[in-house]
Amino acid sequence: MLGSRPGMKSVRVANGQGFWGDSVDAPLELLRGGPIDYLGLDYLAEVTLSIMMRQKLRDPRAGYATDFLDFVRRALPLLVAKGVKVVTNAGGLNPRACRERVFAIARELGIGDLRVGIVEGDDLLGRLPELVAAGHPMTNLDTGAPLSSVLEQVTSANAYIGAQPVASALRDGAQIVLCGRVTDTALALGPLVAEFGWASDDWDRLAAGTICGHVLECGAQATGGNFTRFWEVPDLWNVGYPIAEMSADGSFVVTKHPGTGGLVTVDTVAEQLLYEMGAPCGYVTPDVTADFTSIELAPAGPDRVAVRGIRGRPNTPFLKLSASYLDGWKAAGQVTVSGPRAIEKARLAADIVWRRLERAGVTFAEGDRRTELLGVSGVLPGILAAPAAPPEVVLRLAVRDADRAKVDRFGKEIAPLVTAGPPGVTGFAGGRPKAQEVVAYWPALLDRREVEPGLEVSVESIG
Amino acid sequence: MRVKLARLAHARSGDKGDGSNVGLIADTPELYEVLRREVTAERVRAHFAAICRGEVERFEVPNLRALNFLLHDSLGGGGTASLATDAQGKTHGQGLLEMEIELPAEWVARLPLSAPGGHRDDPDRR
């Protein structure tokens, strides 16, 4: 069979968690459904670390992904029995405390032999003033503004770490590696570097492992989830999460466990390769610059796709900084408006809310308030034709402002629509919309020499 | 005749900074050449006029028979600051497949998804 030549070592790397909030059963199904060597679990979205920072400020023992501990409780006996290794960013801002909890759970479960590694040093929040003073502007990659303009509002700042510290923890015998802000692709590349001993300047193989990680990192998106031709995907309810069988030469096969639902074809893999893609010839990570225009895909049997030909170039002198800062408040509320004349009534209801707020002296800039009629092209306006007389529409209103009081005042103006608006307004449940703090994302670049000397890998056995 | 891109391509989208990216993948090498010719950055920008406030960049990925579009300033503020329901551009791929291009009738007859068991949205099969 293509891509799995007999006698050649192949390493099976899987991903069972594409983001914080993904299926809690998927990683268990991957463990139960067949052989895998490594299981990657991603729990960090762009601003998750900001939430964890708040938790850690309240309790110094907090600040990691608690969902991961639920997984450990359910899966640890099986992980140990099968010798499957786990690499995850669940450590968040406190990998050390997370490890203590993992050890505590292991003891409760009667597991006496377990090695867990942690990677620390990506958290730069405390060093920001010093870094700014030393002449690192950490300019926002989207807006061009210097970080100094929001320094007081910053709530978390982490450098994206690459695969080498992960590989180092695995070589030191860790069965579980807990990282903070490691790249999603390093969850796969780290194990591959550890297994195959790829050199840190073996750009083609590092690129292959990185692209392998990119295919895996969003879980079921490689195996039929979010696939355009959903009607071709069997048993999506039981979708198998992705597994890569990697060979030492950097070629690999994307597949899933037999007996699962979903679909692995050149088309499903190609869609995932393009997901969140920028310039395809230069996918920059701390480890390598991968060239997506070099990838060759070929069918290799049912639910198997061979990937080869991948080329890479040297990494850059920078690491990506992922910071978050507080940027005001927002709230959104919605009601359902029945027909007849649903669109007309929804528009009237929206107008009522905005004018009553104006009467109360509460106004929002045009860009800071939003009216959506969901059901009549609310998400793709101007593209999909809206029905002229829909049986009902959902009216969704949202605002944002630096002043929390204004956002709270908006929240009080939705419920009155039920009695003091047009007829047929319903579905107002769950109380008044609450003002939420906007935690905005600040992407920037930072000289890697400011970060890498401070990275620490520690592997400990259960005591 | 005019056909929707959904007849000859598939797509995926997601957020990329303050905008979205849409990967558009042709079903055959010949159709990739059609996409390269017809689906220009300007046409995509016009198609998303009500959504995309910034520029549209286009990249070619011939090995995947794909074009990658970056729709700048298309998320209503970007990431967590956005007030939009689709703050991550998850629907933009579905939206691009609604774009219509001109294709000779004999080409349309040969589209892989015009075959039996093919595209459910094919008007001939409804």
Side-chain angles (χ1 to χ4, degrees), chain A residues 221 225-226 228-229 267 271-272 274-278 280 292-293 295 330 370 372 384 396 399-400 439, chain B residues 9-13 15-16 21 25 27 47 59 63 68 70 80-85 90-91 97-98 113:
Chain A
Q221 282 205 155
N226 196 13
T228 300
R229 290 163 184 156
D267 290 350
E271 276 196 22
Q272 179 52 24
L274 290 160
Y275 183 67
E276 293 183 341
M277 170 59 40
F292 277 57
T293 66
I295 304 168
K330 68 174 181 178
R370 190 175 178 94
E372 290 179 342
L384 283 162
R396 181 176 174 277
V399 300
R400 69 179 159 221
V439 181
Chain B
H10 56 115
R12 177 163 299 177
S13 61
D15 59 319
K16 193 77 198 162
N21 95 297
I25 305 164
D27 285 324
H47 184 69
F59 297 93
N63 52 315
N68 186 38
L70 294 186
T80 52
S82 174
L83 298 178
T85 291
K90 297 281 184 192
T91 65
L97 293 174
E98 288 292 304
L113 295 179

Side-chain angles (χ1 to χ4, degrees), chain A residues 85 115-119 163-179 194 457-459:
Chain A
K85 295 179 180 178
R115 264 173 93 67
V116 179
I118 58 174
V119 178
Q164 298 298 342
V166 173
S168 155
L170 290 168
R171 280 192 294 255
D172 197 1
Q175 181 163 6
I176 298 175
V177 182
L178 301 169
C179 307
V457 177
S458 129
V459 181

